[in-house]
Structure formats: C-alpha cells, structure tokens
Amino acid sequence: MIPYLKALQVFEAVGTHGSVTAAARILGVSPGAVSQQIHKLEDHLGITLLERGGRRMELTSWGRVYHAEIKLGFDQLANAQNVLKRARNDSGITLSSLTSVINKWMGRKIFDWQALNPGVAIQLVGTEREPKLGEEEVDFRIYYGSQVHHEHYVELFTDWVVPACAPGLIKADPPNEPADILNHPLLHIVWANIYTPAPSWADWAKSIGSHRRVGEGGLSYQLSSSAIDAAVAGRGFVLAQLALIADELETGRLVVPFDHRLKLSDPYLLAWNRASLEKPFAQEFKRWIITAGKKQARLSAPQ
C-alpha cells in the first residue's frame, strides 16, 4: 500500500487548483485539514513543497517536479475509471473509421449486421483524425496503413482500384482499349500526407504500357467518396477502390469498361480497445467485421 496516499491526493489537488482553499472545497474538507496533510507529506519527504506567504501560496521548485509526477498517476487512475465505465456501458458500440470507408463501405454493410442483431445499437463515426482508443468514446477503429499506434489490431484486407465512370460519360464515345480512358476527364484522389499516396492516373497509365504523360490537371479530391460521387455525376473517370463502389457497380451507376486493377500499397486494419470487448455483443461485432474484411479481400483481388 502506498504510504500517505491521502496526503498525495491532497497535494495533487492543491497543485492543480492553485490554493489550499480551492483544494479544500474540491475535496470537501476544511483548509486546516488540507494544510495538515501537506505538512505530513513534507515531513515524510524531508522537503518543502509549498512556499507560504500570507494568503499567497505557490509550489516550490521541488514541489513543481513532484506535483508533475503525482498528477500523472492520478490522471491514470481517472482514466482507469473511465475505461471501466465504458466497458460496463451497454448502451451501444462505437466504430470509427475514415469518412470514405464509413460512407461507402462499412456504412452500407452495417445493415447486414443490424438484420442479424436488431437490438444492438451501433454508432458510426467518420473522421480523418485517429482517435486514442481507451481514452476516447470509441470501441473499434478501422485504420488505413501499416502503422497502427495501438496494441490490439488485425489486418482486414488490401483493396484494389479500377477506372470507373458513369455510363453516360462514354455512351457517345466508348473506349476501344484501356488507353482510350485517358482521353476522358480524369478525377484525381490526393490523400493527406500521413498516408502512402493512392495509385495515380500516371501509375495506371504506366501499368497498361501507355507512354502518354498524364498530368494532375483537373479536379482533385482528398476524400475518395467525394471523387466517387463526382464520377457518378458524370464528371469523369475515377480510380476507385472496389470496396467503395460495390453498390454503384451493382446498380449500374458506375461501370468499369476495362477491368485493369492496381493494388493499394497498404492494408486496412481493425483496432480495438480491449476493455470494450466486455460490452454486450462486442466480441460478435469484432468477428463480423473481420469476416467482412476477408470477404472483401476476395472480391477486390483480380479474379
């Protein structure tokens, strides 16, 4: 057992809130009781933690160093409480991912999960900011890229891109060979610098043996979903991930004149907060996403 734990709690409150009076109010004790605990801690350590002058009080240099370390410990204890609270919260499961993945892949597949588990509440959060699992209200995160800053994760699938467009774009002038696609307006996807670049039209042209120089002129999008929506609207060809255009291909809103695919450089991965697995249905939800990822890997790879 840590000696003088109560005194440590009092000292942390004094340093955080700036005065004995404020700490006493937060802790629900008298200022005299706070001062008594500080004196007890100082006697135990053999150093002066507070400079006292009339009504003024400030941490000594040793007090500032000690308080910084003590506060880390109490912050960790508070976080442990939050983790336990989330683990016991049966109000639902929160899944975070990149906006395009939520809008075009998981946001569509989630209806399959709901059909099997109609009583389970699932919240989908589309964001480019990577959440801190275990500290934020997020249970699962679908990442893109090989670097995952979390202890618990598994690879889902690696996607492939194909040139896709709205049927009306090529109705009057259908391409006779893959290189003819480059004569049409091209929509570009330029991801944020933290990700390995997606395959570009220059990469695709090179892969089909075309020596045509493909510039970056025209419309560029940071979100893949925005570029896909522009293609559906007939604005041009997009190098689209197969996982993100399954519905558009099935309904005929997009077509792939020549199925020449390029593989993304990095995989998608699923990470999770271990405490969240204690939530009702969380283990089943995790297995369902992994199964969906394996199926997508088979669908996206060249046949």
Coordinates of all heavy atoms in Angstrom, one line a residue, residues 60 82 232:
T60 N 7.1 25.1 -4.6 CA 8.5 25.3 -4.7 C 9.0 24.6 -5.9 O 8.2 23.9 -6.6 CB 9.2 24.7 -3.4 OG1 9.0 23.3 -3.4 CG2 8.7 25.3 -2.2
N82 N -12.6 5.7 -16.2 CA -13.3 5.9 -17.5 C -13.4 4.7 -18.3 O -14.4 4.4 -19.0 CB -12.7 7.1 -18.3 CG -12.9 8.4 -17.6 OD1 -13.8 8.6 -16.8 ND2 -12.0 9.3 -17.8
V232 N -20.0 9.4 -60.4 CA -21.4 9.1 -60.5 C -22.2 10.2 -61.2 O -23.1 9.9 -62.0 CB -22.1 8.7 -59.2 CG1 -23.6 8.6 -59.3 CG2 -21.5 7.5 -58.6

